[in-house]
Amino acid sequence: RADLIIGQWISFSIQGGPDIIDVYVCPQGEFYALLEKAELLELKNSHVQVASLEQIKQMKSKVARPIDLADIALIDEYKELFD
């Protein structure tokens, strides 16, 4: 049942690409709000729409697994260094 993964993160590794790509399976009504604020990322010879760091923080705080909380800390550290 597809509804069991709504609101969950699925991680993929891509050979020759980034170590891990997290995919968030959002509720139906949330997709267009995410897309509206998405940023365009160039990945090899493709362009991918990705959620902004602030959106990622919000989504990860809802799930709040230990790995998500660690990701939030990394996002905060990144923003302190580069903002």
Side-chain angles (χ1 to χ4, degrees), residues 12-21 42-46:
F12 298 94
S13 62
I14 296 176
Q15 188 174 18
D19 293 335
I20 295 176
I21 293 179
E42 187 172 339
L43 182 65
K44 294 268 180 184
N45 296 326
S46 301

Side-chain angles (χ1 to χ4, degrees), residues 1-8 25:
R1 293 186 17 206
D3 60 318
L4 295 176
I5 63 170
I6 300 296
Q8 300 297 317
V25 184

Side-chain angles (χ1 to χ4, degrees), residues 6 12-14 17-18 24 29 31 34 38-39 41-44 50 53 57-59 61 66 68 70 73 79 81:
I6 300 296
F12 298 94
S13 62
I14 296 176
Y24 176 66
F31 175 77
L34 289 170
E39 299 172 4
L41 175 70
E42 187 172 339
L43 182 65
K44 294 268 180 184
V50 296
L53 289 177
K57 278 181 61 174
Q58 290 172 3
M59 291 183 289
S61 67
D68 297 312
K79 290 179 94 175
L81 291 171

Side-chain angles (χ1 to χ4, degrees), residues 28-60:
Q28 191 172 21
E30 202 174 313
F31 175 77
Y32 290 108
L34 289 170
L35 184 60
E36 186 176 302
K37 296 180 182 177
E39 299 172 4
L40 194 60
L41 175 70
E42 187 172 339
L43 182 65
K44 294 268 180 184
N45 296 326
S46 301
H47 290 88
V48 180
Q49 296 282 77
V50 296
S52 69
L53 289 177
E54 199 55 44
Q55 290 172 308
I56 292 170
K57 278 181 61 174
Q58 290 172 3
M59 291 183 289
K60 287 187 169 281

